[in-house]
Amino acid sequence: EIIILSHYYVNLYLFIFTWEKWSFHLCLILIIVFCSQLQQEQGKREAELQELMGKLASVHTEKKSLLIEKNDLAAEKNAVEAELEIAQKAKRRSQKKIDFLKEQLEETMEKEEAAHHYLADLITLAENVIKERDHLLSLVSFNKPIADMRLPFGRRS
């Protein structure tokens, strides 16, 4: 502002002293015109400066709010990551339990199948023993009277 003001005064000084034939009133009018132009320029500069200061304050406020939002999002991200890790651990434990239970189920089914075969073989054996007994009883009943029939294991009736 001082440079602009001194520039105007230098121009005014050169103008006044180089053109001596101009009247004093004309010089005053020119001084008033130059001063009003200088004041207008200063007013414009101050208005621009105030506008820029307002924008700077607005940007600074927005920067603070964005920084707060960034921090909130970072905290939320950390919380979500912690929840995700807990969920993954629970999933791994559950998968281990599922695998263990599947193994137990397979073993149990194999045992059940073996027991089923064993029982089927036992039933078949029992049926064969019953058939053989019935066959022997029918043979004995045709050959000897019932009173002479010996029971197994050395017992008599």
Side-chain angles (χ1 to χ4, degrees), residues 110-128:
E110 289 172 4
K111 288 178 182 177
E112 179 185 6
E113 188 176 336
H116 180 70
H117 286 299
Y118 177 75
L119 287 174
D121 291 344
L122 188 61
I123 290 171
T124 304
L125 179 64
E127 288 173 350
N128 288 339

Side-chain angles (χ1 to χ4, degrees), residues 90-141:
K91 179 184 174 188
R92 284 191 294 269
R93 277 182 288 189
S94 296
Q95 189 61 44
K96 285 181 182 179
K97 285 181 182 178
I98 288 170
D99 292 341
F100 176 73
L101 291 173
K102 280 181 180 179
E103 284 180 32
Q104 281 188 332
L105 178 64
E106 283 181 29
E107 290 174 7
T108 304
M109 289 179 72
E110 289 172 4
K111 288 178 182 177
E112 179 185 6
E113 188 176 336
H116 180 70
H117 286 299
Y118 177 75
L119 287 174
D121 291 344
L122 188 61
I123 290 171
T124 304
L125 179 64
E127 288 173 350
N128 288 339
V129 167
I130 291 171
K131 284 180 186 177
E132 188 176 336
R133 181 201 67 189
D134 290 344
H135 177 68
L136 289 174
L137 284 177
S138 69
L139 285 177
V140 169
S141 66

Side-chain angles (χ1 to χ4, degrees), residues 47-82:
E48 287 176 2
L49 181 64
Q50 290 298 328
E51 183 181 342
L52 290 175
M53 292 300 282
K55 286 181 181 180
L56 181 64
S58 172
V59 166
H60 191 51
T61 304
E62 185 178 356
K63 179 182 173 184
K64 283 182 181 179
S65 68
L66 289 175
L67 184 62
I68 290 170
E69 185 178 350
K70 176 189 166 205
N71 291 339
D72 290 345
L73 289 174
E76 185 177 338
K77 176 187 167 223
N78 290 339
V80 168
E81 285 176 348

Side-chain angles (χ1 to χ4, degrees), residues 5-59:
L5 184 62
S6 63
H7 178 69
Y8 279 115
Y9 284 124
V10 167
N11 285 340
L12 182 62
Y13 179 78
L14 289 174
F15 181 76
I16 291 173
F17 288 106
T18 55
W19 299 95
E20 295 175 4
K21 60 183 176 180
W22 291 54
S23 71
F24 180 73
H25 292 291
L26 182 61
C27 289
L28 283 178
I29 290 172
L30 289 174
I31 289 173
I32 292 171
V33 168
F34 287 144
C35 285
S36 69
Q37 286 177 352
L38 179 64
Q39 286 177 348
Q40 287 176 355
E41 287 294 321
Q42 286 176 341
K44 285 180 186 178
R45 300 257 189 257
E46 285 182 26
E48 287 176 2
L49 181 64
Q50 290 298 328
E51 183 181 342
L52 290 175
M53 292 300 282
K55 286 181 181 180
L56 181 64
S58 172
V59 166

